[in-house]
Amino acid sequence: MPIKTHIRTIEDHPKPGIQFRDITTLLKDPVGFRLTIQELEKHYRGLDIDKVAGIESRGFIIGAPLAFALGVGFIPIRKQGKLPAKTKGQDYDLEYGSDRVEVHIDAIEPNDKVLVVDDLIATGGTAKASIDVLEALGAHIVECAFVIDLPDLGGHKKLEEHGYKVHTLCAFEGH
Ligand code: AMP
């Protein structure tokens, strides 16, 4: 599994008990990075997709080259207050506190078929908030793609229970 073996685990980052799955070791490897984008491109080539939406910030690193490879547009889903034009936002709960994702309201045309991309799915809170804001702007979500799945955190299952298709390239046990 060349993709998984290139991902580094940092214990107790950013806080005790979290195993941080670090993709910088995958990205710096020219074969690993290329393979990651190619695997996703292979899965999505030929599907009816208008735009790739990448979630800040590691979703940009995966989503932008994927959009380029598929020959479709890219839109950034950003954290609060970063986008310069008029936005629509969605709040979501974190373990402690809350966060907010925002998208430019003119990023989506009605019925755009959108692929949502991030580096990792854990609880699925970030992805679900991103889906909600895209759908509120009229998008149809084709699928959600992640390099890494943390199945024990339940996000993959949660998105599927909401009726969304989920595609991941590798999985790690635990938190
Ligand atoms: P969640 O909303 O719980 O699915 O968390 C997903 C977001 O948090 C993604 O943008 C990830 O980059 C980041 N994230 C959550 N858990 C981890 C982890 N163990 N290692 C690296 N990134 C993580």
Side-chain angles (χ1 to χ4, degrees):
M1 280 186 284
I3 291 175
K4 186 171 177 177
T5 55
H6 279 98
I7 296 164
R8 168 168 67 179
T9 297
I10 311 287
E11 302 287 342
D12 298 322
H13 179 86
K15 55 185 181 190
I18 303 288
Q19 293 184 289
F20 192 89
R21 309 300 178 176
D22 175 21
I23 62 163
T24 63
T25 41
L26 173 68
L27 299 172
K28 76 172 179 179
D29 183 273
V31 177
F33 187 25
R34 202 173 157 81
L35 195 66
T36 302
I37 303 307
Q38 282 174 334
E39 287 283 310
L40 291 169
E41 186 203 353
K42 214 164 49 186
H43 184 81
Y44 291 108
R45 176 143 305 284
L47 291 192
D48 193 6
I49 293 169
D50 296 308
K51 283 168 185 143
V52 171
I55 302 174
E56 184 171 356
S57 60
R58 290 181 293 267
F60 299 169
I61 303 171
I62 307 299
L66 178 60
F68 183 88
L70 292 172
V72 303
F74 175 82
I75 58 177
I77 298 171
R78 299 214 62 181
K79 297 288 163 65
Q80 188 164 15
K82 303 278 189 181
L83 288 168
K86 195 163 186 324
T87 61
K88 183 156 190 66
Q90 176 70 48
D91 295 314
Y92 61 102
D93 291 329
L94 299 172
E95 195 179 348
Y96 303 102
S98 67
D99 215 337
R100 183 177 175 84
V101 286
E102 294 180 342
V103 180
H104 275 146
I105 56 166
D106 62 0
I108 297 291
E109 306 295 324
N111 297 318
D112 262 354
K113 294 173 234 21
V114 177
L115 169 64
V116 177
V117 174
D118 202 357
D119 67 325
L120 179 147
I121 181 159
T123 66
T126 316
K128 182 60 172 62
S130 302
I131 289 169
D132 289 347
V133 77
L134 291 166
E135 285 186 336
L137 291 172
H140 168 73
I141 307 302
V142 177
E143 200 161 308
C144 304
F146 306 90
V147 177
I148 304 165
D149 188 9
L150 302 185
D152 297 341
L153 275 291
H156 186 148
K157 196 158 163 256
K158 176 174 125 180
L159 290 189
E160 286 181 340
E161 282 169 358
H162 278 96
Y164 300 103
K165 290 173 89 177
V166 177
H167 180 62
T168 62
L169 298 184
C170 65
F172 288 87
E173 284 180 6
H175 289 220

